[in-house]
Amino acid sequence: MRAAMDPDLDLALRCAWLSLVGGYTHEEIAARVATSRVKVTRLIQSAQRAGLVKVSIEGAPARCAALEEALVAQFGLVRCSVAPDLGEPGLPLSALGTLGAHVIRAALERDGIDVIGLGHGRTLAACVDALPLIARPRLKIVSLLGSLTRDAATTPYDVIFKLASRTGGTGYCLATPLVCASEADRGVFLAQRDTVAAQLAASKASITVAGVGAVDRDNGLVTSGMIAPAELDALAAAGAVGEVLGAFVDRDGRPLDIELTRRIVAVAPDMLVPRRVIAIAGGPGKAAAIAAVLRSGRIGHLVTDETTAQALAEPMMTASFPTFVR
């Protein structure tokens, strides 16, 4: 519809097809569409910026593949996927988003996938943004955490319903606060009929996709204002190192039953099948949190970036593959 209304966009799409599918050079494309080579380059770039061009690369560099094998053996994973280092400062959203989208798409293309459970966070949002259109009209997309947050920038509704728009499926959110004021309030929300139905649907998920949080000031629960800095300090004092789907674990992966966790609305970890859980996480300072969550045995497939994988791997493994120099 947009291409029919916008001649420049139509031409950009034609140039992208000729380049990426047809294999023509920019000079050859310029001759075919009667424009300049410079404009062809600009048009293809505009199509990429508009999200109309998605690139999928099969396979991984040898070092990433070796890290994948090492982490599978080290943590008893079903699978591990490592994205090459792109030199991104801070959180490597491009690398994680692209590889995460590839993993999610491959999972959705399998037969019998009818329910997918989703967590929150910027990394999962980047994965959904990078996901191409895939027709799955019968797919149910269920939030695994309470969906009412104080900060609109971190609302999970966007992730749920963006995935629904990408697939043609139906999105379901837990219409409750993420963190309740008291355990009694949480009990009231959990008893609601819609909440019970959503949690039951989540427990039947063919795939579960979650992020991993570190117990620091960058944790989404802190940046969204759902927990106070003092509560973060209490978590650290209790030995909390990592968090997945609102559940905190210590460095050995043992779950922590503390007052804060009893106020968080989330699908109970025991309701999920570990081998079906995909954790997509990485970036500076995340290695200890990811390692703790992996030791909990709740994750089947880890998707991470090369630098984080290097930090997670055993010392002997990292010695064989020296840190990548940017």
Side-chain angles (χ1 to χ4, degrees):
M1 180 67 74
R2 290 177 60 195
M5 296 171 60
D6 186 341
D8 284 340
L9 184 57
D10 181 66
L11 185 57
L13 286 170
R14 183 176 295 278
C15 290
W17 271 91
L18 289 169
S19 174
L20 300 172
V21 180
Y24 292 95
T25 67
H26 288 198
E27 289 186 358
E28 290 170 335
I29 296 170
R32 288 177 66 95
V33 301
T35 189
S36 69
R37 181 183 59 79
V38 172
K39 185 172 182 179
V40 167
T41 300
R42 188 168 64 248
L43 286 167
I44 294 173
Q45 290 174 343
S46 70
Q48 292 172 330
R49 287 194 298 270
L52 301 174
V53 176
K54 304 292 184 181
V55 178
S56 177
I57 303 174
E58 299 295 337
R63 182 172 178 277
C64 291
L67 286 168
E68 291 169 355
E69 293 180 7
L71 294 178
V72 166
Q74 184 176 337
F75 293 103
L77 300 171
V78 175
R79 187 178 175 190
C80 179
S81 302
V82 176
D85 189 335
L86 301 180
E88 299 175 78
L91 184 62
L93 283 179
S94 292
L96 291 174
T98 300
L99 183 57
H102 178 78
V103 169
I104 293 171
R105 179 181 182 180
L108 293 179
E109 288 177 340
R110 297 201 303 263
D111 292 335
I113 304 300
D114 49 8
V115 180
I116 179 172
L118 283 184
H120 296 180
R122 290 179 294 167
T123 302
L124 296 193
C127 295
V128 173
D129 285 341
L131 192 69
L133 297 177
I134 175 172
R136 289 294 180 273
R138 296 183 181 179
L139 184 68
K140 294 181 180 179
I141 304 125
V142 185
S143 176
L144 301 174
L145 295 162
S147 299
L148 303 181
T149 61
R150 297 178 185 176
D151 184 353
T154 61
T155 178
Y157 284 106
D158 284 345
V159 177
I160 297 293
F161 293 116
K162 276 185 179 179
L163 183 55
S165 69
R166 290 278 198 275
T167 60
T170 305
Y172 299 89
C173 286
L174 283 176
T176 73
L178 175 55
V179 182
C180 298
S182 68
E183 293 181 49
D185 287 351
R186 176 179 179 270
V188 171
F189 283 115
L190 289 177
Q192 301 303 306
R193 182 177 60 185
D194 289 347
T195 305
V196 172
Q199 289 203 314
L200 180 61
S203 71
K204 297 179 179 179
S206 308
I207 314 164
T208 296
V209 185
V212 173
V215 181
D216 58 25
R217 295 295 190 270
D218 290 329
N219 185 286
L221 293 173
V222 179
T223 58
S224 65
M226 299 307 298
I227 66 174
E231 292 176 302
L232 186 68
D233 294 337
L235 282 168
V241 174
E243 171 261 327
V244 60
L245 297 175
F248 290 87
V249 297
D250 67 14
R251 67 178 306 277
D252 296 317
R254 293 184 294 250
L256 297 173
D257 182 17
I258 54 181
E259 189 270 343
L260 174 61
T261 62
R262 294 193 293 270
R263 292 192 284 115
I264 293 176
V265 177
V267 173
D270 293 343
M271 298 178 70
L272 304 175
V273 179
R275 65 179 295 107
R276 298 179 183 173
V277 179
I278 302 169
I280 305 176
K286 277 287 184 75
I290 295 170
V293 169
L294 295 181
R295 292 186 189 110
S296 73
R298 295 174 176 175
I299 307 300
H301 185 171
L302 172 66
V303 179
T304 191
D305 63 283
E306 187 174 0
T307 302
T308 303
Q310 175 86 32
L312 287 168
E314 294 286 359
M316 186 176 297
M317 173 65 197
T318 58
S320 300
F321 288 86
T323 301
F324 180 76
V325 178
R326 295 175 181 174

